[in-house]
Structure formats: C-alpha cells, structure tokens
Amino acid sequence: MPFDIDPRLLRAFTAVAEELHFTRAAARLYVAQQALSRDIRRLEREVGTALFVRTTRQVALTADGERLLPYARRVLSAHEDLAAAFRPVPERPLLVDVGVPIGTAHRVLEDARERVPDSCELVARFHSGLTGAAAELAAGRLDVSFGRYAGLPPAVRSGLAHQPVRLESMAVLLREDHPLASRPEVPLAELAGETLYAAAGNPQTEEWTELAARLFAGRGIAMAEPFPEIEGSREFVRVVRKRGWSVLASVEFIDVPGMVLRPVVDPVPLSPLSMVWRRDLHHPGLTALRAAVHELAGENDWLAVPEDAWLPREDAAVMGVGVGVGEGEGVRGR
C-alpha cells in the first residue's frame, strides 16, 4: 500500500462513491469525465484493488471501496483543515441578490449554502430587477444576481458573466373574481383586452418590462401605466390589491391574498433566468452557486423548452436552447 496517495485521487474517489455516477461526479468536481475515470483507475492501481463495479446501468462500491471510503474522507478533511490553518485571509461574505425569498434563485442560494463551510457566508439581498442589480454588480456593491441577461445592454453585458439557470413559464396573477380566475390555465389569446402590470415605470426592472412588451405586441394586451418602483413584497401586495391590477408573473411567485396565479398557455411564454456576476469575480461561494445551478437545472429540467413555447430569439441564443424560429418576436420549441 503506498503512503503518498495524491489527495486529488481521493477526492475523485469520494465524489464517485457519493454520487455513484461518473457524469454527476465529474460535474461536481468541474473535470472531464475521461479525466475522472483516469484518476479512479490510477487510484485502483496504487491501492492494488478494484474500488468500483461498473456496468452500463450503474456504479457500485466494491467491499474494498466501502472500506476505503471512511479513510478517504478523514484524509480529505485533514487536508482541508491543513489548508484552512494556513489560509491567509478569510473569504469575505458574498452578496447574492435573489429578488424575493422564494423561487428559483432562492433555491439555488439555499443549495449553495449546503456546499460551503460555515466560514463562507452567502448573504442574501433582495433587489428588484436585473437592470438595477447590474449597476450594483459593476460598482462592486453586489456580487451575484439573477435575471434576464439578454435584456441588458451589450455594453453592460461586456463586464459581466452569466450561467443559464431556468426557463420559467409565465403566469398571470388575477383577482379571485376575475372571469379567467376559474380556469386552471389561461390561453394567451384570452388576455386580449386585458391590462397587465409588468413593472412599467420601474427603472430597475426594464429588462422584464421590455420582455412583457414583446409578448403583448399584436395580441391586444395593454401594459399598465407606469408606476414608481415598489420595494418589498408586502408593499407590492398592498399596491396590487389597492389598484386592482392583473399582473404578468412567473409560475413561482409570492402569495397575494385575494388573488390567484394561473399559468399562461397556447403558447407558453418563457422568462429566461440566468445567474449573473462580474467577470473578474473569484470566490468559493460563486463556485458553490455555479455547482448548485448545474445540479438543480439538470435534476429538474429547468432548461427544457415546452413543445409550444414563446421566447425572443436573442434570449434563446443567450440561454443556449435549441428552438426553431416561429412568427413575430418569438420562437417555438420543437
């Protein structure tokens, strides 16, 4: 038995042992699957025994693999403790804008918090809109945000990086007594003649208002008059109820008493959500967030395109989804 096993090999072994799936383990470690398999074979040569039973359908630990796993975990833990003892400066808190404390961005944040040590803080912020958050990112007052990346001006995007997270289906928030509220889904054509609030007048959310304007164009749907920025979910609920608005939203949205949320269909309008950060940002919290996005998006098919979908062409290109060109401003999924 060798006494100088590379911790990288033990890290590869532990990832595969915990995932029991080479593809997921490679994604977790940010390495190519071929490189991961090579490391596992090298470790098996060094310890002189097979550690996994591989078939086309599954991966399982051998008895020797089961025996090695607790030792590998202890070595890696000691290795991390050693690195932490000589780490010169603790990482500063990472400021993450999730908009509201529910939904996709919040799920990504919560998952990422499980991936970092207690010393690494991911602190939530609740800004409204990627347009406003992008200015905070550029100024260094915010580290990560979520929103429609294609809706930012090219000059702003040049200083930012992004990772596609989800294609969220849009919905409409209606009063309980609205004629369409009794339907489980609302066909887009049925919204003709309606006036919907889509944050017009809020300079922080211009990317969302512009997406709504494209969706409404030529369909007889009016945009509610401009209104000053509404800060916080409680104030949003108060204003919406007082003014009696119907609201364009996504299928994951805050509860508004006296109102119901209904998915929009025929076609399904999509709201593209990316995670966005400064190009020069390096932080273990960002690494954890990116890993969380990768895993959650894969497990939940967050980037799948419905058969009958609407999405602006540039958004489809930015999100890297395979769709065919449809009529007007949108594209339709195959």
Side-chain angles (χ1 to χ4, degrees), residues 284-325:
L286 176 61
T287 301
L289 285 164
R290 297 196 67 185
V293 167
H294 179 87
E295 187 166 311
L296 288 170
E299 289 179 349
N300 298 284
D301 290 330
W302 278 354
L303 293 173
V305 181
E307 183 175 345
D308 183 20
W310 176 95
L311 185 69
R313 294 183 181 90
E314 58 267 41
D315 287 278
V318 162
M319 298 297 286
V321 295
V323 291
V325 177

Side-chain angles (χ1 to χ4, degrees), residues 144-208:
V144 179
S145 189
F146 293 80
R148 182 190 168 220
Y149 185 71
L152 297 175
V156 175
R157 295 204 305 263
S158 66
L160 300 174
H162 88 109
Q163 181 174 348
V165 177
R166 186 175 184 179
L167 295 169
E168 294 185 323
S169 299
M170 292 190 194
V172 61
L173 189 67
L174 303 166
R175 298 184 314 278
E176 289 180 337
D177 60 354
H178 192 285
L180 297 174
S182 61
R183 298 193 179 190
E185 299 174 329
V186 176
L188 185 60
E190 294 295 316
L191 293 173
E194 296 286 333
T195 298
L196 301 184
Y197 174 74
N202 181 358
Q204 307 295 315
T205 58
E206 290 180 354
E207 78 289 343
W208 172 253

Side-chain angles (χ1 to χ4, degrees), residues 65-89:
E66 293 277 7
R67 189 159 59 94
L68 176 60
L69 184 57
Y71 291 102
R73 284 171 170 158
R74 288 202 292 271
V75 169
L76 292 175
S77 177
H79 194 264
E80 177 57 32
D81 289 344
L82 175 63
F86 289 90
R87 193 172 288 135
V89 179

Side-chain angles (χ1 to χ4, degrees), residues 158-314:
S158 66
L160 300 174
H162 88 109
Q163 181 174 348
V165 177
R166 186 175 184 179
L167 295 169
E168 294 185 323
S169 299
M170 292 190 194
V172 61
L173 189 67
L174 303 166
R175 298 184 314 278
E176 289 180 337
D177 60 354
H178 192 285
L180 297 174
S182 61
R183 298 193 179 190
E185 299 174 329
V186 176
L188 185 60
E190 294 295 316
L191 293 173
E194 296 286 333
T195 298
L196 301 184
Y197 174 74
N202 181 358
Q204 307 295 315
T205 58
E206 290 180 354
E207 78 289 343
W208 172 253
T209 304
E210 194 264 346
L211 182 66
R214 291 189 180 205
L215 179 63
F216 296 170
R219 292 185 166 91
I221 307 171
M223 180 85 67
E225 71 277 7
F227 194 86
E229 178 184 358
I230 305 171
E231 294 190 4
S233 57
R234 291 183 64 180
E235 185 67 0
F236 177 84
V237 169
R238 186 193 68 81
V239 173
V240 166
R241 292 188 66 186
K242 180 178 179 179
R243 300 184 72 87
W245 283 332
S246 295
V247 180
L248 184 69
S250 67
V251 290
E252 293 192 9
F253 201 69
I254 61 173
D255 289 331
V256 179
M259 302 188 77
V260 295
L261 190 67
R262 296 291 182 258
V264 177
V265 295
D266 301 329
V268 177
L270 298 177
S271 171
L273 187 74
S274 287
M275 187 170 72
V276 184
W277 64 93
R278 292 187 310 281
R279 288 190 182 277
D280 61 353
L281 178 63
H282 300 282
H283 194 286
L286 176 61
T287 301
L289 285 164
R290 297 196 67 185
V293 167
H294 179 87
E295 187 166 311
L296 288 170
E299 289 179 349
N300 298 284
D301 290 330
W302 278 354
L303 293 173
V305 181
E307 183 175 345
D308 183 20
W310 176 95
L311 185 69
R313 294 183 181 90
E314 58 267 41

